[in-house]
Amino acid sequence: MSNKIAIRKKINSRVGVATILAGLWCGATAAIAGPFVDPPVFVSANGLLDLLMIAQPAPIPSISFTPPHGGAVIHPTGWFYQICLRSTAIGNRCPSGAATVAAYGGTRLALNQGDTLKIRLVNKLPQLNPTKVTHSTGPGEANLPLNPTNLHTHGLLVEARAPTLNDPTFGDYVFVQNFNSANGTPIPQTTHQHGSIKMDVVDYRINIPANHPSGLFWFHPHVHGLALNQVSSGMAGIITIGRVGDFARHDADNTPFPESNVRHMTLKDIEVLAAQKNLQFVNGTADVVDGEVLNQEDPNFCTQFPANASEIREGSCPGADNTPDGNNYTGGKWYFTVSGQQFPTVRMTNPDGEIWRLTNASGSLSYDLQLINDATSAPMIMQLISVDGVSVHLPQDTPIGTTVTMAGGRFKVVACPPAPVVGASLPICINELVMMPSSRAELFVTYRDAAGRIALPPSGATSTFKMVGLTMGSGDTWPAVDLAKVEFAQSAPRAHVVSAINVLGDTLAGFQANGIFSATVPNAKAAPLPAGCAALPAGHKRRVFFGLEDLTDGASFGLGYEEVDAKGNPVPGTQLPVARFDPSRNTICLPLGRGQTPAHETWELVQLSTENHNFHIHQSRFRPVQASAPANSVLAPVVNPAMGGGILEDNRPLGVAVPDATIVDQVMNNQSGVCSVDQWRSGHCVSTTFAVDMAFTDLGEFVYHCHILEHEDGGMMAKIQVVPSPF
Ligand SMILES: [Cu+2]
């Protein structure tokens, strides 16, 4: 029995690119099916993007739910951001008309290196029915039914700055809760304070460093205990820094890949209920009405695969009857959208193909994605350009085995025909990718023949972009659903691409002298270390455990910690048991390096659970290293020294723990599918330790956590602080 199942039992269990105008938003309203339309975008001008963002309930125009027992079609009410430029706002309201956008699919904020992003966030979210707050609240979380929110800029290497007397704005700081005063007054909590209380309005000011990588990032709320409810209701959008052409070049003539052939495809899902009596939640049972959103999603809402060959799943799957172990969702529908659109058609006309920028902006859902050639039913090859917002870097002599190792379960790497152009980077070709929550991937997509070579498509060539269904170890299963149709209508011969896109990898550039992982950290001035804060001794590593606080409580998601010396032994006095998130305690505090340079550390991530988790950390980047690599080397050896920068990630899937025969019954029957640290240490529970080289480039207090938001809300999160170096 997995911890997931335990929780379930409690529940009862032109290239459609919008025209871009500086300082304005532009784009069409999301369509139902029809041609894919790129999301609306706000673009910085003169180094600034200054927005009013209102978190609010609104009907989702692109989702039309037909009640099973009759009645008018319903546009379910999601929660998503209404956005306008501050210069057009009327106080804390956005004007009606074209200057305001409210896109369920996720608005794009387009910024450049050196820009300032200012956001005034206003909370107009509705109060929650305490019965339907399916996260069982912990200490200090009594205010959650008032539905506070905040904002995190996921993946940006920016300061996690708290306000000061002289500067009342927040950086990318998650320890603040913004309450809607219309929902009542929050009661200050004496335990587990989850951050300062703000009423109605919070102002953010986020400075993008001049040496920040160009790439794809996103924003979403980060209130512990409500992250899943808010993200799965639609609260997320994307951020781009720079342009795709900054790192992606045509290999024939090294010209930048044009923005006009780039698509921003943000993946979201939402579960819509049909009326029923006594739906069961953790905190009780309640009636639901037709069209109501289940904002703490249930992975068992649909069957994993279609019930029969005639069931077509284009952008949705039908609610299923799970009465024996869960709820009966018959008549409901689970929608899977691409930038807010259900099963759009992507019509590819550019002879040199397109770049797709994918973001998993779902709450807990992991996508296993393929592009299936409709004529052959075979998965088509795509070129991986960038991962989690940083473009990949591989020299041409990198062996395929290394790219497979590096891909680490996120990408299925395949040979990339034909040989790359001399002098270009080694292309990484894939035919399948797994995107766990928060993951981003940028892909070069064009028609290819059966041998995987770029070719002119035959007339009428199409493919289907689909999630093929995924099982997370002993945890959730996610359904198979078709996401989009692709029409290859490339009639002219290609002009700029010989065999691949040449990728100028920021993973390598970032570590060079002026790169963000090497250069002096702005705004950091030498200061004495706070009590209890020290640099990790040379040769030591940090180790993080993913498990449960209480092995008999499958909902008590937590993280453990220890420091490990050069011989691999835990350092006495550093060990913290696996425990649920406690915002009053820093698990880790470290200073920047000498001269206020980025700190580099080696961490080991140890999975104790038989279900998959993923590791995400704010304000940092990491890359895989061999578990045996010397700790704390400024450039720790990568999987293969010949592979250059390789890839840098901000989230990474962990494998699963395997209990041996002597403890398997205990783990699976009594321990919610999770081993104890002692069982792991004694060798009775085996999991592959994942070692990463971490780079810390920013000051402040922030968090690391599993990005399956059900697990994050449950407590699989810990706090870390980075302070200036004393010298
Ligand atoms: Cu998890």
Side-chain angles (χ1 to χ4, degrees):
M1 179 176 62
S2 77
N3 30 6
K4 285 341 268 260
I5 291 164
I7 287 183
R8 267 341 121 210
K9 287 202 165 159
K10 282 186 189 162
I11 295 173
N12 185 338
S13 268
R14 259 174 38 149
V15 184
V17 168
T19 312
I20 296 170
L21 299 174
L24 282 176
W25 80 271
C26 201
T29 313
I32 299 167
F36 176 83
V37 179
D38 222 56
V41 54
F42 286 90
V43 184
S44 67
N46 303 316
L48 177 68
L49 185 59
D50 189 0
L51 300 172
L52 178 64
M53 285 182 43
I54 303 167
Q56 53 152 35
I60 302 170
S62 58
I63 294 181
S64 300
F65 176 75
T66 305
H69 309 296
V73 165
I74 293 166
H75 296 293
T77 295
W79 303 337
F80 45 98
Y81 300 104
Q82 189 186 59
I83 308 179
C84 60
L85 293 173
R86 280 296 290 284
S87 57
T88 67
I90 307 139
N92 289 332
R93 288 188 302 115
C94 283
S96 56
T100 299
V101 60
Y104 163 75
T107 297
R108 174 163 74 105
L109 313 183
L111 296 152
N112 289 307
Q113 284 82 357
D115 280 357
T116 299
L117 171 62
K118 292 171 78 174
I119 294 174
R120 166 162 286 191
L121 175 69
V122 175
N123 185 348
K124 292 287 183 190
L125 295 173
Q127 197 163 357
L128 292 164
N129 178 339
T131 310
K132 296 181 182 178
V133 179
T134 51
H135 170 64
S136 184
T137 56
E141 296 178 354
N143 292 321
L144 292 187
L146 301 180
N147 213 359
T149 192
N150 62 16
L151 209 55
H152 167 50
T153 53
H154 183 119
L156 290 186
L157 294 165
V158 295
E159 286 182 312
R161 183 175 49 78
T164 62
L165 277 178
N166 293 330
D167 183 353
T169 65
F170 287 80
D172 178 29
Y173 186 79
V174 297
F175 305 103
V176 57
Q177 295 185 340
N178 177 358
F179 288 85
N180 177 358
S181 56
N183 293 346
T185 307
I187 302 152
Q189 301 295 303
T190 53
T191 58
H192 286 59
Q193 182 54 260
H194 286 254
S196 48
I197 288 175
K198 294 279 174 185
M199 299 309 297
D200 299 309
V201 172
V202 170
D203 287 314
Y204 291 91
R205 181 175 53 78
I206 291 162
N207 300 319
I208 312 297
N211 54 3
H212 198 286
S214 288
L216 175 63
F217 308 90
W218 65 298
F219 59 91
H220 61 83
H222 211 293
V223 170
H224 178 62
L226 289 173
L228 177 57
N229 305 62
Q230 295 183 357
V231 171
S232 68
S233 295
M235 291 171 66
I238 56 174
I239 297 171
T240 53
I241 306 292
R243 290 174 163 248
V244 166
D246 296 345
F247 54 85
R249 301 285 172 87
H250 295 120
D251 65 352
D253 48 22
N254 211 34
T255 50
F257 197 89
E259 286 289 302
S260 54
N261 296 317
V262 173
R263 296 181 194 269
H264 298 87
M265 303 167 90
T266 304
L267 308 179
K268 293 189 179 185
D269 70 304
I270 193 164
E271 293 179 347
V272 177
L273 296 162
Q276 65 171 283
K277 292 275 181 201
N278 297 324
L279 190 75
Q280 296 188 32
F281 299 89
V282 166
N283 295 334
T285 59
D287 295 349
V288 297
V289 300
D290 278 332
E292 192 168 329
V293 170
L294 183 63
N295 64 25
Q296 187 149 19
E297 57 199 3
D298 185 341
N300 300 318
F301 195 94
C302 296
T303 56
Q304 187 175 22
F305 298 101
N308 54 61
S310 66
E311 184 189 322
I312 294 171
R313 293 186 170 185
E314 293 180 341
S316 69
C317 59
D321 182 356
N322 293 321
T323 303
D325 327 294
N327 284 303
N328 182 353
Y329 297 114
T330 305
K333 218 167 193 183
W334 190 356
Y335 296 90
F336 301 81
T337 55
V338 184
S339 295
Q341 298 150 76
Q342 261 188 80
F343 201 65
T345 298
V346 173
R347 187 172 170 82
M348 192 175 294
T349 55
N350 180 43
D352 291 305
E354 298 182 353
I355 284 178
W356 293 2
R357 314 187 84 179
L358 302 172
T359 303
N360 179 353
S362 284
S364 290
L365 172 65
S366 292
Y367 294 80
D368 188 347
L369 298 165
Q370 289 189 328
L371 182 63
I372 299 292
N373 184 327
D374 292 329
T376 63
S377 298
M380 296 183 75
I381 288 177
M382 304 172 281
Q383 185 189 344
L384 182 67
I385 303 289
S386 180
V387 175
D388 296 341
V390 186
S391 50
V392 300
H393 176 269
L394 287 181
Q396 278 205 3
D397 53 359
T398 308
I400 183 104
T402 300
T403 61
V404 172
T405 306
M406 186 189 64
R410 292 182 73 172
F411 309 101
K412 185 170 180 191
V413 178
V414 295
C416 208
V421 169
V422 173
S425 61
L426 181 77
I428 304 173
C429 282
I430 62 172
N431 65 11
E432 185 170 357
L433 65 158
V434 171
M435 295 184 73
M436 285 190 74
S438 84
S439 167
R440 283 95 63 219
E442 301 180 54
L443 305 172
F444 169 62
V445 183
T446 192
Y447 184 78
R448 290 171 188 262
D449 64 18
R453 290 166 183 268
I454 299 172
L456 262 182
S459 176
T462 62
S463 65
T464 306
F465 186 50
K466 57 170 67 190
M467 46 193 288
V468 296
L470 187 61
T471 299
M472 312 299 289
S474 68
D476 299 327
T477 57
W478 301 108
V481 176
D482 296 348
L483 297 176
K485 181 62 70 181
V486 182
E487 294 176 356
F488 295 100
Q490 301 156 292
S491 53
R494 60 190 192 273
H496 303 286
V497 174
V498 177
S499 65
I501 294 300
N502 182 28
V503 183
L504 314 181
D506 278 338
T507 49
L508 187 63
F511 286 98
Q512 289 166 348
N514 295 320
I516 194 161
F517 304 113
S518 296
T520 306
V521 173
N523 302 323
K525 292 190 181 65
L529 289 177
C533 193
L536 190 63
H540 287 212
K541 303 174 185 180
R542 302 187 195 275
R543 184 179 281 159
V544 177
F545 295 99
F546 289 70
L548 292 176
E549 177 173 308
D550 173 355
L551 292 174
T552 64
D553 177 1
S556 65
F557 294 101
L559 296 175
Y561 173 76
E562 64 189 20
E563 187 181 316
V564 181
D565 68 18
K567 292 178 178 160
N569 298 316
V571 176
T574 64
Q575 291 169 290
L576 295 170
V578 175
R580 279 181 278 205
F581 178 57
D582 177 354
S584 65
R585 182 183 67 198
N586 283 336
T587 296
I588 296 168
C589 180
L590 68 122
L592 292 173
R594 183 178 281 272
Q596 316 309 327
T597 52
H600 293 265
E601 295 186 345
T602 304
W603 287 28
E604 290 184 356
L605 310 173
V606 177
Q607 170 66 290
L608 300 175
S609 173
T610 56
E611 85 170 305
N612 295 100
H613 298 294
N614 68 342
F615 168 75
H616 167 58
I617 183 162
H618 296 204
Q619 268 73 35
S620 183
R621 271 290 181 291
F622 53 84
R623 58 179 173 173
V625 294
Q626 288 168 315
S628 58
N632 290 349
S633 41
V634 171
L635 271 173
V638 288
V639 173
N640 176 335
M643 73 189 245
I647 66 172
L648 278 168
E649 305 178 295
D650 66 33
N651 72 93
R652 152 70 43 170
L654 304 178
V656 294
V658 181
D660 72 15
T662 65
I663 65 164
V664 65
D665 289 347
Q666 189 180 342
V667 169
M668 302 317 281
N669 296 330
N670 306 323
Q671 295 183 188
S672 307
V674 175
C675 300
S676 67
V677 173
D678 286 346
Q679 288 166 334
W680 173 80
R681 222 185 288 283
S682 64
H684 289 294
C685 182
V686 176
S687 64
T688 303
T689 294
F690 189 73
V692 290
D693 171 35
M694 307 278 301
F696 294 98
T697 62
D698 286 289
L699 298 174
E701 290 179 294
F702 51 97
V703 286
Y704 55 95
H705 59 89
C706 174
H707 217 291
I708 297 173
L709 294 184
E710 180 189 25
H711 302 179
E712 178 197 318
D713 284 339
M716 194 169 260
M717 180 155 77
K719 196 172 172 187
I720 178 171
Q721 184 175 21
V722 177
V723 299
S725 168
F727 33 69

